[in-house]
Coordinates of all heavy atoms in Angstrom, one line a residue:
M1 N -22.5 32.6 22.3 CA -22.9 32.1 21.0 C -22.0 32.7 19.9 O -21.7 32.1 19.0 CB -24.4 32.4 20.8 CG -24.9 31.8 19.5 SD -25.0 30.0 19.7 CE -25.7 29.5 18.2
G2 N -21.7 34.0 20.1 CA -20.8 34.7 19.1 C -19.4 34.1 19.0 O -18.8 34.2 18.0
D3 N -18.9 33.6 20.2 CA -17.6 33.0 20.2 C -17.5 31.8 19.3 O -16.5 31.5 18.6 CB -17.1 32.7 21.6 CG -16.9 34.0 22.4 OD1 -16.7 35.1 21.8 OD2 -17.0 33.9 23.6
I4 N -18.5 31.0 19.3 CA -18.6 29.7 18.6 C -18.6 30.0 17.1 O -18.0 29.4 16.3 CB -19.7 28.8 19.0 CG1 -19.5 28.4 20.5 CG2 -19.9 27.6 18.1 CD1 -20.7 27.6 21.0
G5 N -19.4 31.1 16.7 CA -19.5 31.5 15.3 C -18.2 31.9 14.7 O -18.0 31.7 13.5
Q6 N -17.2 32.4 15.5 CA -15.9 32.8 15.0 C -15.1 31.6 14.7 O -14.3 31.6 13.7 CB -15.2 33.6 16.0 CG -15.8 35.0 16.2 CD -15.1 35.8 17.3 OE1 -14.3 35.2 18.1 NE2 -15.3 37.1 17.4
F7 N -15.3 30.5 15.4 CA -14.4 29.3 15.2 C -15.1 28.3 14.3 O -14.5 27.3 13.9 CB -14.1 28.6 16.6 CG -13.3 29.5 17.4 CD1 -13.8 30.1 18.6 CD2 -11.9 29.7 17.1 CE1 -13.0 30.8 19.4 CE2 -11.1 30.5 17.9 CZ -11.7 31.0 19.1
L8 N -16.3 28.5 13.9 CA -17.1 27.6 13.1 C -16.4 27.3 11.7 O -16.2 26.2 11.3 CB -18.5 28.0 12.9 CG -19.4 27.0 12.2 CD1 -19.5 25.7 13.0 CD2 -20.8 27.6 12.0
P9 N -15.9 28.4 11.0 CA -15.2 28.1 9.8 C -13.9 27.3 9.9 O -13.6 26.4 9.1 CB -14.8 29.5 9.2 CG -15.8 30.4 9.9 CD -16.1 29.8 11.2
M10 N -13.2 27.5 11.0 CA -12.0 26.7 11.3 C -12.3 25.2 11.5 O -11.6 24.3 11.1 CB -11.2 27.3 12.5 CG -10.6 28.6 12.2 SD -9.3 28.5 11.0 CE -8.0 28.0 12.1
I11 N -13.4 25.0 12.3 CA -13.8 23.7 12.6 C -14.3 23.0 11.3 O -13.9 21.8 11.1 CB -15.0 23.7 13.6 CG1 -14.4 24.2 15.0 CG2 -15.6 22.3 13.8 CD1 -15.5 24.5 16.0
L12 N -15.0 23.7 10.5 CA -15.5 23.1 9.2 C -14.3 22.7 8.3 O -14.3 21.7 7.6 CB -16.5 24.0 8.5 CG -17.8 24.1 9.1 CD1 -18.7 25.2 8.4 CD2 -18.6 22.8 9.1
I13 N -13.3 23.6 8.2 CA -12.1 23.3 7.4 C -11.4 22.1 7.9 O -11.0 21.2 7.1 CB -11.2 24.5 7.4 CG1 -11.8 25.7 6.6 CG2 -9.8 24.1 6.9 CD1 -11.0 27.0 6.7
F14 N -11.3 21.9 9.2 CA -10.6 20.7 9.8 C -11.4 19.4 9.5 O -10.9 18.4 9.1 CB -10.5 20.9 11.3 CG -9.9 19.6 11.9 CD1 -8.5 19.4 11.8 CD2 -10.6 18.7 12.7 CE1 -7.9 18.3 12.3 CE2 -10.1 17.6 13.2 CZ -8.7 17.4 13.0
V15 N -12.8 19.5 9.6 CA -13.6 18.4 9.3 C -13.5 18.0 7.8 O -13.3 16.8 7.5 CB -15.1 18.6 9.7 CG1 -16.0 17.6 9.2 CG2 -15.2 18.8 11.2
V16 N -13.5 18.9 6.9 CA -13.4 18.6 5.5 C -12.0 18.0 5.2 O -11.9 17.1 4.5 CB -13.7 19.9 4.7 CG1 -13.3 19.7 3.2 CG2 -15.1 20.3 4.8
A17 N -11.0 18.6 5.8 CA -9.6 18.1 5.6 C -9.5 16.7 6.1 O -8.8 15.8 5.5 CB -8.6 19.0 6.3
Y18 N -10.1 16.4 7.2 CA -10.0 15.0 7.8 C -10.7 14.0 6.9 O -10.1 13.0 6.5 CB -10.7 15.0 9.2 CG -10.8 13.6 9.8 CD1 -9.6 13.1 10.3 CD2 -11.9 12.8 9.7 CE1 -9.6 11.8 10.8 CE2 -11.9 11.5 10.2 CZ -10.8 11.0 10.8 OH -10.8 9.7 11.3
F19 N -11.9 14.3 6.4 CA -12.6 13.3 5.6 C -12.1 13.2 4.1 O -12.3 12.2 3.5 CB -14.1 13.7 5.6 CG -14.8 13.2 6.8 CD1 -15.2 14.1 7.8 CD2 -15.0 11.8 7.0 CE1 -15.8 13.6 8.9 CE2 -15.6 11.4 8.2 CZ -16.0 12.3 9.1
F20 N -11.5 14.3 3.6 CA -11.0 14.2 2.2 C -9.5 14.0 2.1 O -9.0 13.6 1.0 CB -11.4 15.5 1.5 CG -12.8 15.5 1.1 CD1 -13.7 16.4 1.8 CD2 -13.4 14.7 0.2 CE1 -15.0 16.4 1.5 CE2 -14.7 14.8 -0.1 CZ -15.6 15.6 0.6
M21 N -8.7 14.2 3.2 CA -7.3 14.0 3.1 C -6.7 13.0 4.1 O -6.0 12.1 3.7 CB -6.6 15.4 3.3 CG -7.0 16.4 2.2 SD -6.4 18.0 2.6 CE -4.7 17.8 2.2
I22 N -7.0 13.2 5.3 CA -6.4 12.4 6.4 C -6.9 10.9 6.4 O -6.2 10.0 6.4 CB -6.5 13.0 7.7 CG1 -5.8 14.4 7.7 CG2 -6.0 12.2 8.8 CD1 -6.1 15.3 8.9
R23 N -8.2 10.8 6.4 CA -8.9 9.5 6.5 C -8.6 8.6 5.3 O -8.2 7.4 5.5 CB -10.4 9.7 6.7 CG -11.1 8.4 7.0 CD -12.5 8.7 7.5 NE -13.2 7.5 7.8 CZ -14.4 7.2 7.3 NH1 -15.0 8.1 6.5 NH2 -15.0 6.0 7.5
P24 N -8.6 9.0 4.1 CA -8.3 8.2 3.0 C -6.8 7.7 3.0 O -6.5 6.6 2.6 CB -8.5 9.0 1.7 CG -9.5 10.0 2.2 CD -9.2 10.3 3.6
Q25 N -5.9 8.6 3.4 CA -4.5 8.3 3.5 C -4.3 7.2 4.6 O -3.5 6.3 4.4 CB -3.7 9.5 3.9 CG -2.2 9.2 4.0 CD -1.6 8.8 2.7 OE1 -2.1 9.1 1.6 NE2 -0.5 8.1 2.8
M26 N -5.0 7.3 5.7 CA -4.9 6.2 6.7 C -5.4 4.9 6.2 O -4.8 3.9 6.5 CB -5.6 6.7 8.0 CG -5.0 7.8 8.7 SD -6.0 8.6 10.1 CE -6.5 7.2 11.0
K27 N -6.5 4.9 5.5 CA -7.0 3.7 4.9 C -6.1 3.1 3.9 O -5.8 1.9 3.9 CB -8.4 4.0 4.2 CG -9.1 2.7 3.7 CD -10.4 3.1 3.0 CE -11.2 1.9 2.6 NZ -10.4 1.0 1.7
R28 N -5.4 3.9 3.1 CA -4.5 3.4 2.1 C -3.3 2.8 2.8 O -2.8 1.7 2.3 CB -4.0 4.6 1.2 CG -3.2 4.1 0.0 CD -2.9 5.3 -1.0 NE -4.1 6.0 -1.4 CZ -4.3 7.3 -1.1 NH1 -3.4 8.0 -0.4 NH2 -5.4 7.9 -1.5
Q29 N -2.8 3.4 3.8 CA -1.6 2.8 4.6 C -2.0 1.5 5.2 O -1.2 0.6 5.2 CB -1.2 3.8 5.6 CG -0.4 5.0 5.1 CD -0.1 6.0 6.2 OE1 -0.6 5.9 7.3 NE2 0.8 6.9 5.9
K30 N -3.2 1.4 5.7 CA -3.7 0.1 6.3 C -3.8 -1.0 5.3 O -3.3 -2.1 5.5 CB -5.0 0.4 7.0 CG -5.6 -0.8 7.7 CD -7.0 -0.5 8.3 CE -7.6 -1.7 8.9 NZ -9.0 -1.5 9.4
D31 N -4.3 -0.6 4.1 CA -4.4 -1.6 3.0 C -3.0 -2.1 2.5 O -2.8 -3.3 2.2 CB -5.2 -1.0 1.8 CG -6.7 -0.8 2.2 OD1 -7.2 -1.4 3.2 OD2 -7.4 -0.1 1.4
E32 N -2.1 -1.1 2.4 CA -0.7 -1.5 1.9 C 0.0 -2.4 3.0 O 0.7 -3.3 2.6 CB 0.1 -0.3 1.7 CG -0.3 0.4 0.4 CD 0.6 1.6 0.0 OE1 1.7 1.8 0.7 OE2 0.3 2.3 -0.9
K33 N -0.3 -2.1 4.3 CA 0.3 -3.0 5.3 C -0.3 -4.4 5.3 O 0.5 -5.3 5.4 CB 0.1 -2.3 6.7 CG 0.8 -2.9 7.8 CD 0.7 -2.1 9.1 CE 1.5 -2.7 10.2 NZ 1.3 -2.0 11.4
K34 N -1.6 -4.5 5.0 CA -2.2 -5.8 4.9 C -1.7 -6.5 3.7 O -1.5 -7.7 3.8 CB -3.7 -5.5 4.9 CG -4.5 -6.8 4.8 CD -6.0 -6.5 4.7 CE -6.8 -7.8 4.5 NZ -8.2 -7.6 4.1
F35 N -1.6 -5.8 2.6 CA -1.1 -6.4 1.4 C 0.3 -7.0 1.6 O 0.6 -8.1 1.2 CB -1.1 -5.4 0.2 CG -0.4 -5.9 -1.0 CD1 -1.0 -6.8 -1.9 CD2 0.9 -5.4 -1.3 CE1 -0.4 -7.2 -3.0 CE2 1.5 -5.9 -2.5 CZ 0.9 -6.7 -3.3
A36 N 1.2 -6.2 2.2 CA 2.6 -6.7 2.4 C 2.6 -7.9 3.4 O 3.4 -8.8 3.2 CB 3.4 -5.6 3.0
A37 N 1.7 -8.0 4.3 CA 1.6 -9.1 5.3 C 1.1 -10.3 4.6 O 1.4 -11.5 5.0 CB 0.8 -8.7 6.5
E38 N 0.3 -10.2 3.5 CA -0.3 -11.3 2.9 C 0.5 -11.9 1.7 O 0.1 -12.8 1.1 CB -1.7 -11.0 2.4 CG -2.7 -10.7 3.5 CD -4.1 -10.3 2.9 OE1 -4.2 -9.9 1.7 OE2 -5.0 -10.3 3.7
L39 N 1.7 -11.3 1.4 CA 2.5 -11.8 0.4 C 2.9 -13.2 0.7 O 3.2 -13.6 1.8 CB 3.7 -10.9 0.2 CG 3.5 -9.5 -0.4 CD1 4.8 -8.7 -0.4 CD2 2.9 -9.6 -1.8
K40 N 3.0 -14.0 -0.4 CA 3.5 -15.4 -0.2 C 4.4 -15.8 -1.4 O 4.5 -15.1 -2.4 CB 2.3 -16.3 -0.1 CG 1.3 -16.3 -1.3 CD 0.1 -17.1 -1.1 CE -0.9 -17.1 -2.2 NZ -1.3 -15.8 -2.7
R41 N 5.1 -16.9 -1.2 CA 6.0 -17.5 -2.2 C 5.2 -17.7 -3.5 O 4.1 -18.2 -3.5 CB 6.6 -18.8 -1.8 CG 7.7 -18.6 -0.8 CD 8.4 -19.8 -0.5 NE 9.3 -20.1 -1.7 CZ 9.8 -21.3 -1.9 NH1 9.6 -22.3 -1.1 NH2 10.6 -21.5 -3.0
G42 N 5.8 -17.4 -4.6 CA 5.2 -17.6 -5.9 C 4.3 -16.5 -6.5 O 3.9 -16.5 -7.6
D43 N 4.1 -15.5 -5.7 CA 3.3 -14.3 -6.1 C 4.1 -13.5 -7.1 O 5.3 -13.3 -7.0 CB 3.0 -13.4 -5.0 CG 1.8 -13.9 -4.1 OD1 1.1 -14.8 -4.5 OD2 1.6 -13.3 -3.0
R44 N 3.5 -13.1 -8.2 CA 4.1 -12.2 -9.2 C 3.8 -10.8 -8.8 O 2.7 -10.4 -8.5 CB 3.5 -12.5 -10.6 CG 3.9 -13.9 -11.1 CD 3.3 -14.2 -12.4 NE 3.3 -13.1 -13.3 CZ 2.4 -13.0 -14.3 NH1 1.5 -13.9 -14.5 NH2 2.5 -11.9 -15.1
V45 N 4.9 -10.0 -8.6 CA 4.7 -8.7 -8.1 C 5.5 -7.7 -9.0 O 6.4 -8.1 -9.8 CB 5.2 -8.5 -6.7 CG1 4.4 -9.4 -5.7 CG2 6.7 -9.0 -6.5
I46 N 5.2 -6.4 -8.8 CA 6.0 -5.3 -9.4 C 6.4 -4.4 -8.3 O 5.6 -4.0 -7.4 CB 5.1 -4.5 -10.4 CG1 4.6 -5.5 -11.5 CG2 5.9 -3.4 -11.0 CD1 3.6 -4.8 -12.4
T47 N 7.7 -4.0 -8.3 CA 8.1 -3.1 -7.2 C 7.7 -1.6 -7.6 O 7.3 -1.4 -8.7 CB 9.7 -3.1 -7.1 OG1 10.3 -2.7 -8.3 CG2 10.1 -4.5 -6.7
K48 N 7.9 -0.7 -6.7 CA 7.5 0.7 -6.9 C 8.4 1.3 -8.0 O 8.1 2.3 -8.6 CB 7.5 1.5 -5.6 CG 6.4 1.1 -4.7 CD 6.4 1.9 -3.4 CE 5.2 1.4 -2.6 NZ 5.1 2.0 -1.3
S49 N 9.6 0.7 -8.2 CA 10.5 1.2 -9.2 C 10.3 0.6 -10.5 O 10.9 1.0 -11.5 CB 12.0 1.0 -8.7 OG 12.2 -0.4 -8.6
G50 N 9.3 -0.4 -10.6 CA 9.0 -0.9 -11.9 C 9.6 -2.3 -12.2 O 9.4 -2.7 -13.4
L51 N 10.3 -2.9 -11.3 CA 10.9 -4.2 -11.5 C 9.8 -5.3 -11.4 O 9.2 -5.4 -10.4 CB 12.0 -4.4 -10.5 CG 12.8 -5.7 -10.7 CD1 13.8 -5.5 -11.9 CD2 13.7 -5.9 -9.5
H52 N 9.7 -6.2 -12.4 CA 8.8 -7.3 -12.3 C 9.5 -8.5 -11.8 O 10.7 -8.8 -12.2 CB 8.3 -7.6 -13.7 CG 7.4 -6.5 -14.3 ND1 6.1 -6.7 -14.6 CD2 7.7 -5.2 -14.6 CE1 5.6 -5.6 -15.1 NE2 6.5 -4.7 -15.1
G53 N 8.9 -9.3 -11.0 CA 9.5 -10.6 -10.5 C 8.5 -11.4 -9.8 O 7.3 -11.1 -9.7
K54 N 9.0 -12.6 -9.4 CA 8.3 -13.6 -8.6 C 8.9 -13.7 -7.2 O 10.1 -13.9 -7.2 CB 8.2 -14.9 -9.4 CG 7.3 -15.9 -8.7 CD 7.1 -17.1 -9.6 CE 8.3 -18.0 -9.7 NZ 8.0 -19.3 -10.4
I55 N 8.1 -13.8 -6.2 CA 8.7 -13.9 -4.8 C 9.2 -15.3 -4.6 O 8.5 -16.3 -4.8 CB 7.6 -13.6 -3.8 CG1 7.2 -12.1 -3.9 CG2 8.1 -13.9 -2.4 CD1 6.1 -11.7 -2.9
M56 N 10.5 -15.4 -4.3 CA 11.1 -16.7 -4.0 C 11.2 -17.0 -2.5 O 11.0 -18.1 -2.1 CB 12.5 -16.7 -4.6 CG 12.5 -16.6 -6.1 SD 11.5 -17.8 -7.0 CE 12.4 -19.3 -6.7
E57 N 11.5 -16.0 -1.7 CA 11.6 -16.2 -0.3 C 11.1 -15.0 0.5 O 11.2 -13.8 -0.1 CB 13.1 -16.4 0.1 CG 13.7 -17.6 -0.4 CD 15.2 -17.7 0.0 OE1 15.5 -17.3 1.1 OE2 16.0 -18.2 -0.8
L58 N 10.5 -15.2 1.6 CA 10.1 -14.1 2.5 C 10.8 -14.2 3.8 O 10.9 -15.3 4.4 CB 8.6 -14.2 2.8 CG 7.7 -13.9 1.5 CD1 6.3 -14.3 1.8 CD2 7.8 -12.5 1.1
N59 N 11.4 -13.1 4.3 CA 12.1 -13.1 5.6 C 11.3 -12.2 6.6 O 11.2 -11.0 6.4 CB 13.5 -12.6 5.4 CG 14.4 -12.7 6.6 OD1 13.9 -13.0 7.7 ND2 15.7 -12.5 6.4
D60 N 10.9 -12.9 7.6 CA 10.1 -12.1 8.6 C 11.0 -11.3 9.6 O 10.5 -10.5 10.3 CB 9.2 -13.1 9.4 CG 8.0 -13.6 8.6 OD1 7.6 -12.9 7.6 OD2 7.5 -14.7 8.8
N61 N 12.3 -11.7 9.7 CA 13.1 -11.0 10.6 C 13.4 -9.5 10.2 O 13.3 -8.6 11.1 CB 14.5 -11.7 10.7 CG 14.3 -13.1 11.4 OD1 13.4 -13.3 12.1 ND2 15.3 -14.0 11.0
D62 N 13.6 -9.3 9.0 CA 13.8 -7.9 8.5 C 12.8 -7.4 7.5 O 13.0 -6.5 6.8 CB 15.3 -7.7 8.0 CG 15.6 -8.6 6.8 OD1 14.7 -9.5 6.4 OD2 16.7 -8.5 6.2
F63 N 11.7 -8.1 7.4 CA 10.6 -7.8 6.4 C 11.1 -7.6 5.0 O 10.7 -6.6 4.4 CB 9.8 -6.6 7.0 CG 9.2 -6.8 8.3 CD1 9.7 -6.3 9.4 CD2 8.1 -7.6 8.4 CE1 9.2 -6.5 10.7 CE2 7.5 -7.9 9.6 CZ 8.0 -7.3 10.8
S64 N 11.9 -8.5 4.6 CA 12.4 -8.4 3.2 C 11.9 -9.6 2.4 O 11.4 -10.6 3.0 CB 13.9 -8.4 3.2 OG 14.5 -9.6 3.7
C65 N 12.1 -9.6 1.1 CA 11.8 -10.7 0.3 C 12.8 -10.8 -0.9 O 13.4 -9.8 -1.2 CB 10.3 -10.6 -0.3 SG 10.1 -9.1 -1.3
I66 N 12.9 -11.9 -1.4 CA 13.9 -12.1 -2.5 C 13.0 -12.4 -3.8 O 12.2 -13.3 -3.8 CB 14.8 -13.3 -2.3 CG1 15.7 -13.0 -1.1 CG2 15.6 -13.6 -3.5 CD1 16.7 -14.1 -0.7
L67 N 13.2 -11.6 -4.8 CA 12.5 -11.6 -6.0 C 13.4 -12.3 -7.1 O 14.6 -12.0 -7.2 CB 12.1 -10.3 -6.5 CG 11.1 -9.4 -5.7 CD1 10.8 -8.1 -6.4 CD2 9.9 -10.2 -5.4
E68 N 12.8 -13.2 -7.9 CA 13.5 -13.8 -9.0 C 13.0 -13.0 -10.2 O 11.9 -12.9 -10.5 CB 13.1 -15.2 -9.1 CG 13.9 -15.9 -10.3 CD 13.5 -17.3 -10.5 OE1 12.4 -17.7 -10.1 OE2 14.4 -18.1 -10.9
T69 N 14.0 -12.4 -10.9 CA 13.7 -11.7 -12.1 C 14.5 -12.3 -13.3 O 15.2 -13.3 -13.1 CB 14.2 -10.2 -12.0 OG1 15.6 -10.2 -11.8 CG2 13.5 -9.6 -10.8
M70 N 14.4 -11.8 -14.5 CA 15.1 -12.4 -15.6 C 16.6 -12.1 -15.4 O 17.5 -12.8 -16.0 CB 14.6 -11.8 -16.9 CG 13.2 -12.2 -17.2 SD 12.6 -11.6 -18.8 CE 13.3 -12.9 -19.8
A71 N 17.0 -11.1 -14.6 CA 18.4 -10.8 -14.4 C 19.0 -11.6 -13.2 O 20.2 -11.5 -13.0 CB 18.5 -9.3 -14.1
G72 N 18.2 -12.3 -12.4 CA 18.7 -13.0 -11.3 C 17.8 -12.8 -10.1 O 16.7 -12.4 -10.2
K73 N 18.4 -13.1 -8.9 CA 17.6 -12.9 -7.7 C 18.1 -11.6 -7.0 O 19.2 -11.3 -6.9 CB 17.9 -14.0 -6.7 CG 17.3 -15.3 -7.2 CD 17.5 -16.5 -6.3 CE 16.9 -17.8 -6.8 NZ 17.1 -18.9 -5.9
L74 N 17.1 -10.8 -6.5 CA 17.3 -9.5 -5.9 C 16.6 -9.5 -4.6 O 15.4 -10.0 -4.5 CB 16.9 -8.4 -6.8 CG 17.6 -8.3 -8.1 CD1 16.8 -7.3 -9.0 CD2 19.0 -7.9 -8.0
K75 N 17.2 -8.8 -3.6 CA 16.5 -8.7 -2.3 C 15.9 -7.3 -2.1 O 16.5 -6.3 -2.4 CB 17.5 -8.9 -1.1 CG 17.0 -8.9 0.2 CD 18.0 -9.2 1.3 CE 17.4 -9.3 2.7 NZ 18.5 -9.7 3.7
F76 N 14.6 -7.3 -1.8 CA 13.9 -6.0 -1.6 C 13.2 -6.0 -0.3 O 12.9 -7.1 0.3 CB 12.8 -5.9 -2.7 CG 13.3 -5.4 -4.0 CD1 13.7 -6.3 -5.0 CD2 13.4 -4.1 -4.3 CE1 14.1 -5.9 -6.2 CE2 13.9 -3.6 -5.5 CZ 14.2 -4.5 -6.5
D77 N 12.9 -4.8 0.2 CA 12.0 -4.6 1.4 C 10.6 -4.8 0.9 O 10.2 -4.4 -0.2 CB 12.3 -3.2 1.9 CG 11.6 -3.1 3.3 OD1 11.9 -3.9 4.2 OD2 10.9 -2.1 3.5
R78 N 9.8 -5.4 1.8 CA 8.4 -5.7 1.4 C 7.6 -4.4 1.1 O 6.7 -4.4 0.3 CB 7.6 -6.4 2.5 CG 8.1 -7.9 2.6 CD 7.2 -8.6 3.6 NE 7.8 -9.8 4.0 CZ 7.2 -10.7 4.8 NH1 6.0 -10.4 5.3 NH2 7.8 -11.8 5.1
S79 N 8.0 -3.3 1.7 CA 7.3 -2.0 1.5 C 7.6 -1.5 0.1 O 6.9 -0.6 -0.3 CB 7.7 -1.0 2.6 OG 9.0 -0.7 2.5
S80 N 8.6 -2.0 -0.6 CA 8.9 -1.5 -1.9 C 8.1 -2.1 -3.0 O 8.2 -1.8 -4.2 CB 10.4 -1.6 -2.2 OG 10.7 -3.0 -2.3
I81 N 7.2 -3.1 -2.6 CA 6.3 -3.7 -3.6 C 5.1 -2.9 -3.8 O 4.4 -2.5 -2.8 CB 6.0 -5.2 -3.2 CG1 7.3 -5.9 -3.1 CG2 5.0 -5.8 -4.1 CD1 7.2 -7.3 -2.6
S82 N 4.7 -2.6 -5.0 CA 3.6 -1.8 -5.4 C 2.3 -2.6 -5.3 O 2.1 -3.6 -6.0 CB 3.7 -1.2 -6.8 OG 2.5 -0.6 -7.2
M83 N 1.4 -2.2 -4.4 CA 0.1 -2.9 -4.2 C -0.8 -2.8 -5.5 O -1.3 -3.8 -6.0 CB -0.6 -2.4 -3.0 CG -1.9 -3.0 -2.7 SD -2.8 -2.4 -1.3 CE -3.2 -0.8 -1.8
E84 N -0.9 -1.6 -6.0 CA -1.8 -1.4 -7.1 C -1.4 -2.2 -8.4 O -2.1 -2.8 -9.0 CB -2.0 0.1 -7.5 CG -2.7 0.9 -6.4 CD -1.8 1.3 -5.3 OE1 -0.5 1.3 -5.5 OE2 -2.3 1.8 -4.3
M85 N -0.1 -2.1 -8.7 CA 0.4 -2.7 -9.9 C 0.4 -4.2 -9.8 O 0.1 -4.9 -10.8 CB 1.8 -2.2 -10.3 CG 1.8 -0.7 -10.6 SD 0.8 -0.3 -12.0 CE 1.7 -1.1 -13.3
S86 N 0.7 -4.7 -8.6 CA 0.7 -6.2 -8.4 C -0.7 -6.8 -8.5 O -0.8 -7.8 -9.0 CB 1.4 -6.5 -7.1 OG 2.7 -6.1 -7.1
K87 N -1.6 -6.0 -8.0 CA -3.0 -6.5 -8.1 C -3.5 -6.5 -9.6 O -4.2 -7.5 -10.0 CB -4.0 -5.6 -7.3 CG -3.9 -5.9 -5.8 CD -4.9 -5.2 -5.0 CE -4.9 -5.5 -3.6 NZ -5.9 -4.7 -2.8
K88 N -3.1 -5.5 -10.4 CA -3.4 -5.5 -11.8 C -2.7 -6.7 -12.5 O -3.3 -7.3 -13.4 CB -3.0 -4.2 -12.4 CG -3.9 -3.0 -12.0 CD -3.4 -1.8 -12.6 CE -4.2 -0.6 -12.1 NZ -3.7 0.7 -12.7
L89 N -1.5 -7.0 -12.1 CA -0.8 -8.1 -12.8 C -1.4 -9.4 -12.5 O -1.5 -10.3 -13.4 CB 0.7 -8.0 -12.3 CG 1.6 -9.1 -12.8 CD1 1.9 -8.8 -14.3 CD2 2.9 -9.1 -12.0
N90 N -1.9 -9.6 -11.3 CA -2.5 -10.9 -10.9 C -4.0 -11.0 -11.1 O -4.6 -12.0 -10.8 CB -2.2 -11.2 -9.4 CG -0.7 -11.4 -9.3 OD1 0.0 -12.1 -10.1 ND2 -0.1 -10.9 -8.2
A91 N -4.6 -9.9 -11.6 CA -6.1 -9.9 -11.8 C -6.4 -10.9 -13.0 O -5.7 -11.0 -14.0 CB -6.5 -8.5 -12.2
P92 N -7.6 -11.6 -12.8 CA -8.0 -12.5 -13.9 C -8.4 -11.7 -15.1 O -8.9 -10.6 -15.0 CB -9.2 -13.2 -13.3 CG -9.7 -12.4 -12.2 CD -8.5 -11.6 -11.7
E93 N -8.2 -12.3 -16.3 CA -8.5 -11.6 -17.5 C -10.0 -11.6 -17.8 O -10.7 -12.6 -17.5 CB -7.8 -12.3 -18.7 CG -6.3 -12.2 -18.7 CD -5.7 -12.9 -19.9 OE1 -6.4 -13.2 -20.9 OE2 -4.5 -13.2 -19.8
K94 N -10.5 -10.5 -18.3 CA -11.9 -10.4 -18.6 C -12.1 -10.7 -20.0 O -11.4 -10.3 -20.9 CB -12.4 -8.9 -18.2 CG -12.3 -8.6 -16.8 CD -12.8 -7.2 -16.5 CE -12.7 -6.8 -15.1 NZ -13.1 -5.5 -14.8
K95 N -13.2 -11.4 -20.3 CA -13.5 -11.7 -21.7 C -14.7 -11.0 -22.2 O -15.5 -10.5 -21.5 CB -13.8 -13.2 -21.8 CG -12.5 -14.0 -21.6 CD -12.8 -15.5 -21.8 CE -11.5 -16.3 -21.6 NZ -11.7 -17.7 -21.9

């Protein structure tokens, strides 16, 4: 019984770290992957670098997309599209 008592603080630290750090990160990664898979032509998006545009084409071979911006058309990787900012951009306005 004494041996378990020595390892109890280490076990508790691991459990707390799992529920407050590891699990939320895994959920966020899963949500971002789902968001990137659900992108479609015509969606207005913002990249992680802050570029605003509209999706013109999606390429499933290399997981890229072509965005139309005011400067022209640019090719980006789907993972470079910001999920949070794009959802805010497409959210309906509240009155």
